[in-house]
Amino acid sequence: MASHRKSRSTGTRVAGIRTPALATAALTSVALLSQTANAAPSDDRPSLEEVEKKVDDLYRQAGSATEKYNAAKEKTSKQRKKVDTLLDDVAKRTQKLNDARTELGSFASAQYRTGASVPETATLLLADSPQDYFDQNQLMNRLTGRQKTAVDDYVTQQSETMKKRQEATAGLDTLTDSQNDLKTAKSTVQKKLATARELLSELTAEEKARLAAIEKKKQKEAARKAAELAKQQAAEEAERKRQEEAAQQQGSGSSSGSSESSAPGSSNGTQAQKALAFAQAQIGKPYVWGATGPGSYDCSGLTQAAWKAAGVTLPRTTYDQVNAGTTVSVSQAQPGDLVFFYDDISHVGLYVGDGKMVHAPKPGAYVREESIFYDGESSIYSVVRPA
């Protein structure tokens, strides 16, 4: 007779032991958790050090793009003035051409009324060269002196007007290219800064605190390097004075004369003091890329304004400012000298002395005084003495 008992779950054997179905599910979960633990972490967020490096790189790239923006802006401004001048010239020459055309038309009308054989006025005025038209119709020898002068004037005005129109057209094309370069540079700066802000916004409070600690450590090291430079410069200055005194005692002024150009009392020193005083007066004002004052500055905008206050005109961009003076070694840096940074020469500050400078650092920061080693000794590109 058939059995009516319910069949028992066979379960699963583990190491020869029969286990219930529920236990099987639990073991499966344990196995999956074990695999997850042994697998690579799913959090692919960059480390704090990577974030710091990425943000610093983005700020430097934004600084480089800012200088390209400054160059494009300056070029666009100059080109716009050139085009405006050309268009004004075209307008004036067009008026002269119309006056010459009117005078020719009056001569043609007068000759028509007298029955003289002359070309139709409309045909004459639409001709590529009225001079050729008159010559082909053998009329030049029948024109009066005043009429010949009118023809010559018309031909000249037509040629000059066409030439200026071509220059204006070419100028407008160049202006369009400059404006496109300006838009591209502006977009690049904005994208770099937006990416940097996004990275910083994703940091936790703890990570921001750690980042601040890293920055403080960098500043401490930069201050130490500045103190070393100040000590070195003081020693070199003392040695220079000792040599001058020795030379004077020997009755020779050659040593004194050779160092006169760099002495604090020289003309260059006076201008440098004025430039430095201006820069220090801007401390606390915000960095704004592309700004040249008076309320905000970018790095090259600050150095340009500072030396302008001293009566010296510097170019707008770091790329050009680096060539606007005499290059000296870091150990020979004097107050007012320009200190340039990075291989792409994308940053500049004004040397104060004792290894420090005044500069407009980066977006979100303010004009401040700090060590020229703020980003490490290797970041210094060169030191240039204007004027």
Side-chain angles (χ1 to χ4, degrees), residues 100-246:
R101 181 183 287 114
T102 299
E103 187 173 11
L104 281 179
S106 66
F107 288 149
S109 297
Q111 291 190 6
Y112 177 78
R113 287 195 299 270
T114 61
S117 176
V118 296
E120 295 182 6
T121 304
T123 305
L124 167 63
L125 299 182
L126 292 175
D128 289 337
S129 173
Q131 179 72 53
D132 292 342
Y133 197 96
F134 271 92
D135 288 341
Q136 291 170 5
N137 288 274
Q138 300 179 350
L139 291 172
M140 285 301 292
N141 59 345
R142 291 190 289 171
L143 295 178
T144 65
R146 182 182 176 188
Q147 291 171 332
K148 288 180 180 180
T149 300
V151 172
D152 291 341
D153 186 45
Y154 180 86
V155 172
T156 300
Q157 293 301 333
Q158 185 185 51
S159 175
E160 289 297 322
T161 301
M162 290 179 63
K163 180 180 178 181
K164 290 299 179 181
R165 283 175 179 169
Q166 291 172 349
E167 290 181 9
T169 300
L172 286 169
D173 290 341
T174 302
L175 178 60
T176 300
D177 291 341
S178 297
Q179 290 172 330
N180 290 336
D181 291 341
L182 187 63
K183 290 179 181 178
T184 299
K186 182 177 181 179
S187 175
T188 300
V189 175
Q190 291 173 331
K191 288 179 180 178
K192 299 295 183 184
L193 295 180
T195 303
R197 285 193 295 268
E198 183 179 356
L199 285 171
L200 291 173
S201 68
E202 293 174 352
L203 296 178
T204 64
E206 180 183 356
E207 288 173 329
K208 290 179 180 178
R210 287 169 54 199
L211 196 61
I214 293 174
E215 181 62 25
K216 188 175 182 179
K217 184 177 180 181
K218 287 174 61 177
Q219 291 178 353
K220 185 176 180 180
E221 174 61 17
R224 185 187 69 79
K225 293 289 295 182
E228 285 184 358
L229 178 60
K231 185 176 181 180
Q232 178 186 353
Q233 289 179 324
E236 291 180 356
E237 178 65 14
E239 176 62 18
R240 182 183 68 82
K241 288 183 178 180
R242 188 193 67 78
Q243 291 179 358
E244 285 184 358
E245 291 174 357

Side-chain angles (χ1 to χ4, degrees), residues 5-323:
R5 289 179 300 176
K6 292 182 179 180
S7 59
R8 286 184 291 179
S9 173
T10 58
T12 304
R13 287 183 178 274
V14 178
I17 302 175
R18 182 180 292 167
T19 60
L22 184 60
T24 301
L27 288 171
T28 302
S29 299
V30 170
L32 289 173
L33 288 171
S34 177
Q35 291 175 2
T36 302
N38 293 330
S42 59
D43 187 1
D44 57 354
R45 291 182 62 198
S47 67
L48 187 61
E49 289 73 17
E50 290 173 335
V51 170
E52 182 198 22
K53 184 179 185 306
K54 182 66 175 176
V55 169
D56 286 345
D57 287 343
L58 284 167
Y59 277 136
R60 281 197 289 270
Q61 291 169 20
S64 180
T66 295
E67 292 307 311
K68 291 180 181 178
Y69 169 85
N70 291 338
K73 184 178 180 181
E74 186 175 42
K75 181 179 179 181
T76 300
S77 178
K78 290 180 178 179
Q79 186 62 25
R80 183 177 287 111
K81 291 179 181 178
K82 181 179 179 181
V83 167
D84 288 344
T85 300
L86 285 170
L87 291 176
D88 287 343
D89 197 6
V90 167
K92 292 176 182 178
R93 290 186 179 279
T94 299
Q95 183 58 50
K96 290 182 179 180
L97 180 62
N98 290 336
D99 292 343
R101 181 183 287 114
T102 299
E103 187 173 11
L104 281 179
S106 66
F107 288 149
S109 297
Q111 291 190 6
Y112 177 78
R113 287 195 299 270
T114 61
S117 176
V118 296
E120 295 182 6
T121 304
T123 305
L124 167 63
L125 299 182
L126 292 175
D128 289 337
S129 173
Q131 179 72 53
D132 292 342
Y133 197 96
F134 271 92
D135 288 341
Q136 291 170 5
N137 288 274
Q138 300 179 350
L139 291 172
M140 285 301 292
N141 59 345
R142 291 190 289 171
L143 295 178
T144 65
R146 182 182 176 188
Q147 291 171 332
K148 288 180 180 180
T149 300
V151 172
D152 291 341
D153 186 45
Y154 180 86
V155 172
T156 300
Q157 293 301 333
Q158 185 185 51
S159 175
E160 289 297 322
T161 301
M162 290 179 63
K163 180 180 178 181
K164 290 299 179 181
R165 283 175 179 169
Q166 291 172 349
E167 290 181 9
T169 300
L172 286 169
D173 290 341
T174 302
L175 178 60
T176 300
D177 291 341
S178 297
Q179 290 172 330
N180 290 336
D181 291 341
L182 187 63
K183 290 179 181 178
T184 299
K186 182 177 181 179
S187 175
T188 300
V189 175
Q190 291 173 331
K191 288 179 180 178
K192 299 295 183 184
L193 295 180
T195 303
R197 285 193 295 268
E198 183 179 356
L199 285 171
L200 291 173
S201 68
E202 293 174 352
L203 296 178
T204 64
E206 180 183 356
E207 288 173 329
K208 290 179 180 178
R210 287 169 54 199
L211 196 61
I214 293 174
E215 181 62 25
K216 188 175 182 179
K217 184 177 180 181
K218 287 174 61 177
Q219 291 178 353
K220 185 176 180 180
E221 174 61 17
R224 185 187 69 79
K225 293 289 295 182
E228 285 184 358
L229 178 60
K231 185 176 181 180
Q232 178 186 353
Q233 289 179 324
E236 291 180 356
E237 178 65 14
E239 176 62 18
R240 182 183 68 82
K241 288 183 178 180
R242 188 193 67 78
Q243 291 179 358
E244 285 184 358
E245 291 174 357
Q248 289 174 356
Q249 289 177 357
Q250 295 174 2
S252 172
S254 58
S255 297
S256 176
S258 63
S259 60
E260 183 179 355
S261 61
S262 61
S266 67
S267 174
N268 175 270
T270 301
Q271 290 176 312
Q273 289 170 5
K274 290 180 180 178
L276 182 56
F278 178 93
Q280 290 176 318
Q282 312 313 307
I283 290 177
K285 293 184 178 180
Y287 173 103
V288 174
W289 62 274
T292 57
S296 58
Y297 298 89
D298 63 16
C299 66
S300 57
L302 176 64
T303 51
Q304 183 188 48
W307 272 97
K308 182 179 180 181
V312 177
T313 300
L314 291 182
R316 175 64 181 93
T317 68
T318 53
Y319 315 127
D320 293 324
Q321 288 183 9
V322 75
N323 297 315

